[in-house]
Amino acid sequence: MHILHTKEAVKSFRQNLPKDQITIGFVPTMGALHKGHLELVKKAKESANVVVVSIFVNPTQFNNLNDFSNYPKTLDKDLEMLRNMEVDCVFVPDSQEIYPNQPKLKIDFGDLERVLEGSFRPGHFNGVGIVVSKLLNIVKPHKAFFGQKDLQQVAVIKRLVEDLSFDVEISVVPTVREEDGLALSSRNLRLGQEDRLKSLILFKALTFSKAELLAGRHWLDIRNDVNMMFVEQQGVDLEYFELVHSNEMRILDGLVPEIPISLCAAAYVGGVRLIDNISVID
Ligand code: AMP
């Protein structure tokens, strides 16, 4: 497995690949890898014959310095996991390599980022858009893999690829969960035992709401119940809990026929910010 730190090294890695029949599958990550990331790698391996993973904790997508400096780092373990998956190349740049100059370009995703993550994390999707563009230009993959866990990020990246004509196919991989339903996330490493238990409220509220919606109850009544669930759970602060168009991220006030619909939530559990979502109608 090649472990590369510079753009130049990635370029020569690409140049040394056989010229024909090569499909490069790319999985961008921020490290602290778990089975969710590995599922993306698995999907990449199924449809590409060269798999590149990047590990880069992108400073420009954090709007909270504390969250950035506390982001878990487990590089040796990550590399071991990727080696076991027989990944071909891991790109581990430092900040200087990616940002020799502070970008002046700002990406505004319009309505896609006025809600949910975008409204609670100002500048987040600008940072995501810039770093994903840079990584796509460095790695030049044929296919790139992203998790449904970050539903709004998927919408933003699809828009980026379309608007800037990136020559890459985007694949979306379903969320991998713990047995009890908690969505795997690098930030889960920061949850203490008690908070780990409390964090289950997110998945419970999502599955409860989905069942009630499909049973025909009004969304606003369901959301009142959900708000009460969170008020009663000490140590958990709900940031948002919304019903949205799964691709356009438009906030809905009830089920609408013939559009894909998801429930999206974000909450702080013991100071750790967790997000999750489930599809209500595909
Ligand atoms: P991150 O390292 O958190 O930036 O995530 C890197 C990629 O892994 C993103 O495309 C995420 O959506 C995806 N991912 C994170 N958690 C999961 C999960 N539990 N299941 C599937 N994909 C995930």
Side-chain angles (χ1 to χ4, degrees):
M1 184 172 81
H2 298 260
I3 300 169
L4 309 177
H5 299 280
T6 64
K7 301 182 279 264
E8 269 311 304
V10 176
K11 192 170 174 183
S12 31
F13 169 79
R14 281 190 102 266
Q15 281 168 346
N16 289 330
L17 292 172
K19 289 288 165 281
D20 41 284
Q21 303 276 313
I22 283 295
T23 306
I24 300 179
F26 177 45
V27 180
T29 81
M30 297 205 296
L33 300 185
H34 49 66
K35 285 189 196 138
H37 296 113
L38 297 189
E39 190 61 23
L40 270 61
V41 172
K42 201 170 133 212
K43 289 285 178 284
K45 284 186 71 90
E46 280 167 18
S47 66
N49 45 21
V50 174
V51 172
V52 179
V53 175
S54 64
I55 298 179
F56 178 60
V57 184
N58 175 36
T60 66
Q61 73 187 67
F62 285 83
N63 55 318
N64 177 330
L65 194 61
N66 215 19
D67 191 24
F68 175 61
S69 38
N70 286 325
Y71 200 83
K73 290 171 194 68
T74 58
L75 184 61
D76 291 342
K77 193 165 153 248
D78 294 352
L79 294 175
E80 191 54 38
M81 288 162 99
L82 296 176
R83 208 172 273 118
N84 289 338
M85 296 285 291
E86 299 182 351
V87 162
D88 299 278
C89 172
V90 189
F91 179 41
V92 196
D94 63 15
S95 274
Q96 185 61 22
E97 186 64 20
I98 298 295
Y99 297 110
N101 298 300
Q102 205 47 36
K104 292 217 188 322
L105 174 72
K106 292 265 182 281
I107 308 181
D108 182 339
F109 290 94
D111 291 348
L112 274 185
E113 66 160 68
R114 302 280 180 267
V115 294
L116 312 176
E117 292 301 282
S119 65
F120 284 93
R121 302 181 70 189
H124 170 67
F125 286 118
N126 171 60
V128 169
I130 299 268
V131 81
V132 171
S133 302
K134 280 175 175 272
L135 291 169
L136 291 176
N137 282 327
I138 295 167
V139 176
K140 298 186 174 62
H142 302 91
K143 300 179 180 192
F145 297 78
F146 294 89
Q148 197 176 341
K149 156 92 172 15
D150 297 280
L151 189 70
Q152 193 173 13
Q153 174 170 278
V154 166
V156 156
I157 285 165
K158 284 184 171 167
R159 173 53 58 183
L160 178 84
V161 163
E162 190 180 319
D163 285 1
L164 297 182
S165 304
F166 277 103
D167 190 10
V168 64
E169 185 188 311
I170 301 298
S171 292
V172 182
V173 179
T175 303
V176 179
R177 299 180 178 281
E178 302 280 8
E179 248 171 55
D180 59 11
L182 178 67
L184 296 188
S185 162
S186 306
R187 289 186 176 85
N188 295 353
L189 289 175
R190 293 178 50 209
L191 294 171
Q193 219 173 355
E194 223 175 283
D195 289 332
R196 168 66 184 78
L197 278 176
K198 290 182 184 172
S199 66
L200 277 183
I201 190 173
L202 268 176
F203 185 63
K204 277 194 193 142
L206 288 168
T207 45
F208 162 79
S209 302
K210 174 175 176 170
E212 296 286 293
L213 276 165
L214 295 179
R217 236 181 117 201
H218 284 295
W219 166 234
L220 295 183
D221 295 336
I222 303 169
R223 200 159 70 171
N224 280 339
D225 286 357
V226 167
N227 284 337
M228 280 315 293
M229 279 165 78
F230 278 90
V231 167
E232 281 162 15
Q233 176 69 78
Q234 282 192 354
V236 178
D237 292 319
L238 183 63
E239 206 167 55
Y240 63 76
F241 198 93
E242 300 284 2
L243 190 66
V244 299
H245 185 302
S246 308
N247 305 327
E248 297 170 4
M249 296 295 121
R250 190 159 39 86
I251 291 184
L252 306 171
D253 52 18
L255 293 185
V256 181
E258 288 173 30
I259 62 168
I261 296 179
S262 295
L263 283 158
C264 296
Y268 281 90
V269 182
V272 179
R273 190 170 184 280
L274 301 178
I275 62 170
D276 199 356
N277 67 81
I278 55 171
S279 165
V280 178
I281 297 173
D282 288 331

